[in-house]
Amino acid sequence: MKGTTGRRRTTLVVTLALIAGLGATAPTHADGPAHPFRDPRLPVDRRVEDLLSRLTPDEKISLLHQYEPAVPRLGIKAFRTGTEALHGVAWLGRTTVFPQAIGLASTWDPALIRQVGSAVGDEARGFQQERPAGWGLNLWAPVVNLLRDPRWGRNEEGYSEDPYLTGSLSTAYGTGLTGGDPDHLKTAPTLKHFLADNNEVRRDTTRPSTTPCAAGPHGIC
């Protein structure tokens, strides 16, 4: 049951990211009848289920990429799933740059971090209104990996080695990015990383460890 619930939540988050950008990726008067997934008056669960039911297997596979192709028959234009936003919106133009995550964590102030996340979400929304090709409302942040090893090359992207502080601040930042309304997302944050990505060697197949092993050329299994 827990596994099924986890998979459903993952599907919901991914599809919410797609729905969050629909208002900008295609007009509400797309050719053909209005589909339920376009109706903001409907419950989110129903919109998600409707959209998933209309996508073919090939279309679903095509959407498993950073650069999403258009689905013309559903009125969905091409977009990009993801913009870095760990301490400000990246890649899209001139934006506010906040301290790196490890610096933000030094405040020990979840309320302040939520305000930072909200400001970043506002700027992402502003860029979305300009809507050049390839932008979207899915933001790659916050990083929730614990900083367990000083040799990890991305320690500045995380908050701390402490689970409680990391959990509190990442929740605050993520809530700021969403705007706090679960049914009307300002942006759709994507936690990084799925699980235990804080080792530099073979991190797609191994767990993080500080224990040297014979197979690890850099001393990390």
Side-chain angles (χ1 to χ4, degrees):
M1 180 63 71
K2 290 184 178 179
T4 301
T5 301
R7 286 192 297 272
R8 179 172 177 79
R9 286 177 178 172
T10 299
T11 302
L12 177 61
V13 169
V14 171
T15 313
L16 279 174
L18 179 58
I19 287 178
L22 284 177
T25 57
T28 56
H29 56 277
D31 294 340
H35 300 307
F37 72 82
R38 291 190 173 280
D39 188 348
R41 298 168 297 181
L42 296 177
V44 172
D45 284 354
R46 181 176 172 188
R47 296 179 68 193
V48 169
E49 292 173 0
D50 179 71
L51 176 57
L52 290 176
S53 71
R54 295 178 188 280
L55 292 169
T56 67
D58 285 345
E59 288 168 344
K60 291 177 181 178
I61 292 173
S62 75
L63 296 174
L64 297 174
H65 195 278
Q66 181 182 356
Y67 295 90
E68 311 291 353
V71 185
R73 67 183 188 83
L74 295 179
I76 299 174
K77 294 185 178 180
F79 66 101
R80 185 176 71 190
T81 56
T83 296
E84 293 282 6
L86 295 174
H87 59 112
V89 180
W91 304 338
L92 303 186
R94 294 172 63 89
T95 63
T96 305
V97 178
F98 295 93
Q100 279 278 15
I102 195 169
L104 293 173
S106 299
T107 67
W108 292 75
D109 189 340
L112 177 61
I113 303 308
R114 179 169 179 169
Q115 291 181 52
V116 172
S118 181
V120 174
D122 288 343
E123 293 193 358
R125 269 284 175 179
F127 278 110
Q128 181 70 11
Q129 290 303 110
E130 299 179 9
R131 192 54 199 171
W135 289 6
L137 290 171
N138 178 217
L139 302 182
W140 296 339
V143 166
V144 295
N145 281 120
L146 301 180
L147 311 184
R148 297 188 181 278
D149 189 334
R151 295 171 294 180
W152 187 40
R154 302 176 69 172
N155 275 331
E156 78 282 357
E157 297 184 3
Y159 292 110
S160 78
E161 75 280 10
D162 181 77
Y164 180 80
L165 180 61
T166 296
S168 296
L169 296 186
S170 60
T171 298
Y173 191 76
T175 302
L177 291 176
T178 65
D181 186 335
D183 295 323
H184 302 86
L185 300 183
K186 180 191 300 184
T187 65
T190 297
L191 299 183
K192 301 198 307 184
H193 299 87
F194 178 70
L195 177 66
D197 191 42
N198 58 340
N199 60 312
E200 285 295 294
V201 180
R202 298 188 306 279
R203 59 184 169 203
D204 57 336
T205 59
T206 64
R207 65 179 178 82
S209 172
T210 58
T211 303
C213 68
H218 299 283
I220 302 177
C221 295

PDB file of all heavy atoms in Angstrom, residues 11-26:
ATOM      1  N   THR A  11       3.636  10.343  -9.506  1.00  0.00           N
ATOM      2  CA  THR A  11       2.917  10.643 -10.749  1.00  0.00           C
ATOM      3  C   THR A  11       2.179  11.959 -10.643  1.00  0.00           C
ATOM      4  O   THR A  11       2.162  12.767 -11.576  1.00  0.00           O
ATOM      5  CB  THR A  11       1.927   9.516 -11.074  1.00  0.00           C
ATOM      6  OG1 THR A  11       2.641   8.287 -11.192  1.00  0.00           O
ATOM      7  CG2 THR A  11       1.188   9.789 -12.370  1.00  0.00           C
ATOM      8  N   LEU A  12       1.566  12.208  -9.473  1.00  0.00           N
ATOM      9  CA  LEU A  12       0.811  13.439  -9.277  1.00  0.00           C
ATOM     10  C   LEU A  12       1.719  14.653  -9.374  1.00  0.00           C
ATOM     11  O   LEU A  12       1.387  15.638 -10.035  1.00  0.00           O
ATOM     12  CB  LEU A  12       0.114  13.408  -7.914  1.00  0.00           C
ATOM     13  CG  LEU A  12      -0.681  14.665  -7.522  1.00  0.00           C
ATOM     14  CD1 LEU A  12      -1.804  14.906  -8.514  1.00  0.00           C
ATOM     15  CD2 LEU A  12      -1.220  14.525  -6.111  1.00  0.00           C
ATOM     16  N   VAL A  13       2.908  14.596  -8.735  1.00  0.00           N
ATOM     17  CA  VAL A  13       3.817  15.728  -8.756  1.00  0.00           C
ATOM     18  C   VAL A  13       4.290  16.020 -10.168  1.00  0.00           C
ATOM     19  O   VAL A  13       4.315  17.168 -10.616  1.00  0.00           O
ATOM     20  CB  VAL A  13       5.020  15.470  -7.832  1.00  0.00           C
ATOM     21  CG1 VAL A  13       6.107  16.518  -8.060  1.00  0.00           C
ATOM     22  CG2 VAL A  13       4.583  15.485  -6.380  1.00  0.00           C
ATOM     23  N   VAL A  14       4.663  14.962 -10.906  1.00  0.00           N
ATOM     24  CA  VAL A  14       5.146  15.156 -12.275  1.00  0.00           C
ATOM     25  C   VAL A  14       4.055  15.759 -13.149  1.00  0.00           C
ATOM     26  O   VAL A  14       4.287  16.687 -13.930  1.00  0.00           O
ATOM     27  CB  VAL A  14       5.628  13.820 -12.870  1.00  0.00           C
ATOM     28  CG1 VAL A  14       5.931  13.966 -14.356  1.00  0.00           C
ATOM     29  CG2 VAL A  14       6.863  13.331 -12.130  1.00  0.00           C
ATOM     30  N   THR A  15       2.826  15.247 -13.018  1.00  0.00           N
ATOM     31  CA  THR A  15       1.744  15.750 -13.848  1.00  0.00           C
ATOM     32  C   THR A  15       1.335  17.150 -13.429  1.00  0.00           C
ATOM     33  O   THR A  15       0.956  17.973 -14.270  1.00  0.00           O
ATOM     34  CB  THR A  15       0.537  14.800 -13.771  1.00  0.00           C
ATOM     35  OG1 THR A  15       0.987  13.457 -13.944  1.00  0.00           O
ATOM     36  CG2 THR A  15      -0.468  15.119 -14.861  1.00  0.00           C
ATOM     37  N   LEU A  16       1.414  17.462 -12.143  1.00  0.00           N
ATOM     38  CA  LEU A  16       1.139  18.821 -11.699  1.00  0.00           C
ATOM     39  C   LEU A  16       2.109  19.808 -12.333  1.00  0.00           C
ATOM     40  O   LEU A  16       1.734  20.929 -12.677  1.00  0.00           O
ATOM     41  CB  LEU A  16       1.242  18.920 -10.170  1.00  0.00           C
ATOM     42  CG  LEU A  16       0.026  18.445  -9.370  1.00  0.00           C
ATOM     43  CD1 LEU A  16       0.353  18.469  -7.890  1.00  0.00           C
ATOM     44  CD2 LEU A  16      -1.193  19.294  -9.666  1.00  0.00           C
ATOM     45  N   ALA A  17       3.369  19.388 -12.489  1.00  0.00           N
ATOM     46  CA  ALA A  17       4.344  20.256 -13.143  1.00  0.00           C
ATOM     47  C   ALA A  17       3.915  20.563 -14.565  1.00  0.00           C
ATOM     48  O   ALA A  17       4.055  21.683 -15.057  1.00  0.00           O
ATOM     49  CB  ALA A  17       5.723  19.601 -13.136  1.00  0.00           C
ATOM     50  N   LEU A  18       3.368  19.555 -15.240  1.00  0.00           N
ATOM     51  CA  LEU A  18       2.882  19.748 -16.605  1.00  0.00           C
ATOM     52  C   LEU A  18       1.666  20.663 -16.609  1.00  0.00           C
ATOM     53  O   LEU A  18       1.579  21.607 -17.389  1.00  0.00           O
ATOM     54  CB  LEU A  18       2.534  18.393 -17.225  1.00  0.00           C
ATOM     55  CG  LEU A  18       1.979  18.396 -18.655  1.00  0.00           C
ATOM     56  CD1 LEU A  18       2.960  19.046 -19.605  1.00  0.00           C
ATOM     57  CD2 LEU A  18       1.670  16.972 -19.092  1.00  0.00           C
ATOM     58  N   ILE A  19       0.725  20.415 -15.711  1.00  0.00           N
ATOM     59  CA  ILE A  19      -0.489  21.229 -15.650  1.00  0.00           C
ATOM     60  C   ILE A  19      -0.161  22.662 -15.264  1.00  0.00           C
ATOM     61  O   ILE A  19      -0.766  23.609 -15.759  1.00  0.00           O
ATOM     62  CB  ILE A  19      -1.499  20.618 -14.652  1.00  0.00           C
ATOM     63  CG1 ILE A  19      -2.113  19.350 -15.255  1.00  0.00           C
ATOM     64  CG2 ILE A  19      -2.592  21.610 -14.305  1.00  0.00           C
ATOM     65  CD1 ILE A  19      -3.082  18.653 -14.346  1.00  0.00           C
ATOM     66  N   ALA A  20       0.845  22.851 -14.385  1.00  0.00           N
ATOM     67  CA  ALA A  20       1.203  24.203 -13.950  1.00  0.00           C
ATOM     68  C   ALA A  20       1.610  25.081 -15.108  1.00  0.00           C
ATOM     69  O   ALA A  20       1.406  26.291 -15.084  1.00  0.00           O
ATOM     70  CB  ALA A  20       2.349  24.142 -12.934  1.00  0.00           C
ATOM     71  N   GLY A  21       2.150  24.465 -16.159  1.00  0.00           N
ATOM     72  CA  GLY A  21       2.574  25.241 -17.304  1.00  0.00           C
ATOM     73  C   GLY A  21       1.566  25.308 -18.426  1.00  0.00           C
ATOM     74  O   GLY A  21       1.813  25.970 -19.431  1.00  0.00           O
ATOM     75  N   LEU A  22       0.431  24.669 -18.288  1.00  0.00           N
ATOM     76  CA  LEU A  22      -0.515  24.616 -19.400  1.00  0.00           C
ATOM     77  C   LEU A  22      -1.054  25.983 -19.778  1.00  0.00           C
ATOM     78  O   LEU A  22      -1.292  26.263 -20.951  1.00  0.00           O
ATOM     79  CB  LEU A  22      -1.681  23.680 -19.045  1.00  0.00           C
ATOM     80  CG  LEU A  22      -1.365  22.193 -19.127  1.00  0.00           C
ATOM     81  CD1 LEU A  22      -2.572  21.390 -18.673  1.00  0.00           C
ATOM     82  CD2 LEU A  22      -0.957  21.792 -20.539  1.00  0.00           C
ATOM     83  N   GLY A  23      -1.264  26.832 -18.783  1.00  0.00           N
ATOM     84  CA  GLY A  23      -1.810  28.145 -19.091  1.00  0.00           C
ATOM     85  C   GLY A  23      -0.913  28.937 -20.011  1.00  0.00           C
ATOM     86  O   GLY A  23      -1.370  29.801 -20.748  1.00  0.00           O
ATOM     87  N   ALA A  24       0.399  28.631 -19.987  1.00  0.00           N
ATOM     88  CA  ALA A  24       1.329  29.364 -20.835  1.00  0.00           C
ATOM     89  C   ALA A  24       1.773  28.565 -22.036  1.00  0.00           C
ATOM     90  O   ALA A  24       2.267  29.123 -22.997  1.00  0.00           O
ATOM     91  CB  ALA A  24       2.558  29.762 -20.019  1.00  0.00           C
ATOM     92  N   THR A  25       1.617  27.240 -21.997  1.00  0.00           N
ATOM     93  CA  THR A  25       2.096  26.443 -23.104  1.00  0.00           C
ATOM     94  C   THR A  25       1.096  26.345 -24.227  1.00  0.00           C
ATOM     95  O   THR A  25       1.432  25.970 -25.332  1.00  0.00           O
ATOM     96  CB  THR A  25       2.435  25.010 -22.629  1.00  0.00           C
ATOM     97  OG1 THR A  25       1.281  24.429 -22.032  1.00  0.00           O
ATOM     98  CG2 THR A  25       3.572  25.023 -21.633  1.00  0.00           C
ATOM     99  N   ALA A  26      -0.166  26.641 -23.958  1.00  0.00           N
ATOM    100  CA  ALA A  26      -1.167  26.554 -25.015  1.00  0.00           C
ATOM    101  C   ALA A  26      -2.367  27.393 -24.631  1.00  0.00           C
ATOM    102  O   ALA A  26      -2.657  27.594 -23.454  1.00  0.00           O
ATOM    103  CB  ALA A  26      -1.590  25.100 -25.229  1.00  0.00           C
TER     104      ALA A  26
END
